[in-house]
Amino acid sequence: MAVSLGVQSCYAGNDTIMKTAFVFPGQGSQSIGMMSHYADLSLIQETFHEASDILEQDMWSLVNQGPAEALNQTVNTQPIMLTAGFAVYRAWEMLGGKQPDYMAGHSLGEYTALVASKALTFTDALRLVRYRAEVMQDCVPEGVGGMAAIVGLDDDKVQTICSESISESKEESLEPANFNSPGQVVIAGHKHAVQRAMILAKERGAKLTALLPMSIPSHCSLMKPAAERMRSLLETISFQAPIIPILHNVDIQPHPDTSSIREILAQQLYRPVRWVETIRAFTSAGVSHVIECGPGKVLTGLTKRIDTKLNNLSLTDSEIIRRTIDILK
């Protein structure tokens, strides 16, 4: 489905032939030592030290030394991935990289996009994502929720399977949570319903079903209580209109109105990440280069599967940042 961005009425247009979109990763891209590839850029470490002071926790040591169990705890992963993505974007700017035409973030990455687009301060974003992680963890008891990847079925079939898996239960829920690429959908909800859906998916021809190592069922209705708590905190935070249009996960639209941004971020907790539509919207807007800003290549891999004609780049080390800046001059 093509989505109209409607940015001309909200933002100044960009008449350059080569249009770029920066995308920021969320949970799942973290690994110990992931920032070591930027060792010659002091601004990276400075950004982590700033985050450490704000959260009163040594984020730099955690990301470089672990342990992995602590790094992968949601309350740590979310602020670390925010810091990592913003640090790389800061380095991009410092080295003379041009401002992108659009931005988007996958789930948590949406907060990084808001900071990079100057809609939200780094300090406020760190506090928001730390709280976001806490309310998500508190919302569903350990072992109750689950998420699984379904590969090889179209979106409608996955939606039908979710409905069938809870048809005999009024107390369970299960929904598509991430539309990541054609034929790859992540589902989320009650763990037993997730497990039933995995069996149904295999019976219907899925190439792969995999239970994800996450106890928090993100982007589904189980997160509505967390969204209410998040909404209350968001009302206390000051936002500015983004200087770069951000396509939000919920509706694939830019929102220059700050009250809309608050509501979108609350809804994001229980509504699906529509990544396929996001990338296709970039294409419709004339984007030629999609650049993953941060460690890892998860989003780059998804983009390749969504649209093979797009140029995909991942800013995974300092040398690639410099080469990409030269490419886009």
Side-chain angles (χ1 to χ4, degrees), residues 11-29:
Y11 299 91
N14 188 323
D15 296 326
T16 58
I17 294 174
M18 185 186 294
K19 289 186 177 181
T20 61
F22 268 48
V23 294
F24 296 91
Q27 285 182 256
S29 293

Side-chain angles (χ1 to χ4, degrees), residues 19-318:
K19 289 186 177 181
T20 61
F22 268 48
V23 294
F24 296 91
Q27 285 182 256
S29 293
Q30 74 277 3
S31 63
I32 294 173
M34 66 184 182
M35 307 310 295
S36 62
H37 305 295
Y38 311 94
D40 61 321
L41 298 173
S42 60
L43 185 57
I44 299 288
Q45 188 169 348
E46 289 170 13
T47 304
F48 269 86
H49 287 332
E50 185 179 339
S52 298
D53 290 341
I54 293 166
L55 296 178
E56 299 181 345
Q57 180 182 6
D58 190 345
M59 311 297 280
W60 186 247
S61 292
L62 182 55
V63 81
N64 283 289
Q65 301 170 18
E69 294 80 6
L71 178 65
N72 293 329
Q73 288 175 357
T74 298
V75 292
N76 293 325
T77 306
Q78 294 201 20
I80 280 174
M81 289 308 301
L82 167 69
T83 303
F86 182 50
V88 173
Y89 188 74
R90 270 180 158 176
W92 169 269
E93 289 185 312
M94 179 193 70
L95 294 170
K98 75 170 189 175
Q99 180 175 293
D101 298 279
Y102 304 104
M103 289 182 170
H106 192 283
S107 188
L108 164 72
E110 202 163 275
Y111 285 83
T112 320
L114 286 163
V115 176
S117 192
K118 303 189 187 308
L120 184 61
T121 69
F122 185 39
T123 297
D124 284 340
L126 282 169
R127 290 170 176 158
L128 279 169
V129 300
R130 171 58 60 84
Y131 185 74
R132 180 180 185 265
E134 290 171 350
V135 298
M136 290 172 71
Q137 188 72 66
D138 292 345
C139 193
V140 180
E142 187 78 26
V144 171
M147 301 183 77
I150 308 295
V151 178
L153 298 179
D154 63 38
D155 296 351
D156 289 340
K157 286 184 179 179
V158 175
Q159 179 64 71
T160 298
I161 286 168
C162 287
S163 298
E164 289 181 9
S165 71
I166 57 171
S167 61
E168 296 181 3
S169 173
K170 295 181 179 180
E171 298 179 352
E172 290 184 327
S173 64
L174 183 65
E175 300 142 71
N178 299 349
F179 295 101
N180 281 334
S181 66
Q184 185 193 123
V185 181
V186 173
I187 59 175
H190 285 92
K191 190 170 185 178
H192 293 310
V194 170
Q195 292 168 332
R196 288 195 298 271
M198 292 171 67
I199 295 171
L200 286 172
K202 291 295 286 185
E203 291 174 351
R204 306 287 168 83
K207 295 178 181 177
L208 173 70
T209 65
L211 193 66
L212 303 181
M214 298 179 66
S215 61
I216 300 173
S218 305
H219 303 292
C220 71
S221 57
L222 289 177
M223 287 292 111
K224 284 186 176 181
E228 288 303 313
R229 293 174 62 185
M230 196 72 197
R231 187 177 281 113
S232 297
L233 180 59
L234 285 163
E235 288 299 324
T236 71
I237 300 298
S238 176
F239 286 84
Q240 304 296 322
I243 65 169
I244 302 165
I246 298 169
L247 301 194
H248 292 273
N249 292 178
V250 168
D251 60 1
I252 328 300
Q253 293 291 332
H255 288 276
D257 177 66
T258 56
S259 62
S260 296
I261 293 173
R262 291 187 182 91
E263 180 57 28
I264 286 290
L265 290 176
Q267 291 185 25
Q268 186 216 56
L269 283 173
Y270 62 86
R271 292 180 62 178
V273 175
R274 296 159 59 184
W275 200 249
V276 174
E277 292 175 83
T278 299
I279 299 303
R280 288 176 177 167
F282 285 151
T283 302
S284 297
V287 167
S288 59
H289 291 70
V290 176
I291 299 163
E292 184 169 2
C293 188
K297 298 181 179 180
V298 172
L299 299 185
T300 301
L302 296 180
T303 301
K304 288 178 180 177
R305 289 193 285 273
I306 295 168
D307 190 335
T308 57
K309 295 179 182 179
L310 283 169
N311 295 288
N312 294 283
L313 298 162
S314 306
L315 305 182
T316 51
D317 62 53
S318 56

